[in-house]
Amino acid sequence: MPRSRRVCSYCQQEMGENEFKCKACGNLVAMKTIPAETTQLEKYEEVLLDGYSLGLLILIAILLPPIAIAIGGVMLFNDDPYKRDSGKMLVTGALLVLVIWTIILISISGTLTVQF
């Protein structure tokens, strides 16, 4: 049997012969592994947020900004970069809508008046 090289089981990066921790991803590798052939199924990717879900999130950001900030805050800690970016946009949009609503409510109530 040919001598196998050490490969990270998580990111498939080559490792040194005496290394047990991958420098690329930080994964611990206990035994020597041979990279798998292409006979295995590709890594399953999560389905991205569809248009309907994204529309509902935008609607929540407009109508209920505090709830949108909470949902976006949870999405910020997701491992998927697309969901993280969606969370950033949701929090930013909700904060912007909250500021606009505050300005509108202050101007309607008449507590903020400017005299020239």
Side-chain angles (χ1 to χ4, degrees):
M1 185 167 146
R3 186 173 180 166
S4 64
R5 58 191 169 127
R6 187 177 287 275
V7 176
C8 177
S9 57
Y10 185 74
C11 68
Q12 301 301 321
Q13 296 291 325
E14 289 190 34
M15 298 172 52
E17 194 64 34
N18 296 325
E19 293 178 355
F20 289 98
K21 186 174 183 181
C22 179
K23 291 180 181 177
C25 68
N27 188 33
L28 293 175
V29 179
M31 59 176 49
K32 294 181 183 178
T33 56
I34 300 174
E37 300 297 325
T38 57
T39 57
Q40 295 180 351
L41 294 174
E42 294 294 322
K43 181 181 173 185
Y44 175 76
E45 294 184 15
E46 290 186 30
V47 178
L48 300 177
L49 292 174
D50 58 347
Y52 180 74
S53 299
L54 205 53
L56 284 177
L57 288 175
I58 292 170
L59 189 63
I60 288 174
I62 293 170
L63 297 177
L64 303 168
I67 293 174
I69 291 171
I71 293 171
V74 170
M75 290 174 70
L76 284 174
F77 294 102
N78 199 312
D79 290 335
D80 183 22
Y82 178 77
K83 289 183 180 178
R84 236 185 350 253
D85 290 343
S86 298
K88 288 177 190 176
M89 288 189 296
L90 189 60
V91 169
T92 305
L95 286 172
L96 184 64
V97 168
L98 195 60
V99 167
I100 292 171
W101 277 63
T102 304
I103 291 171
I104 290 172
L105 289 176
I106 289 173
S107 65
I108 289 174
S109 67
T111 57
L112 181 65
T113 57
V114 178
Q115 296 179 357
F116 291 102

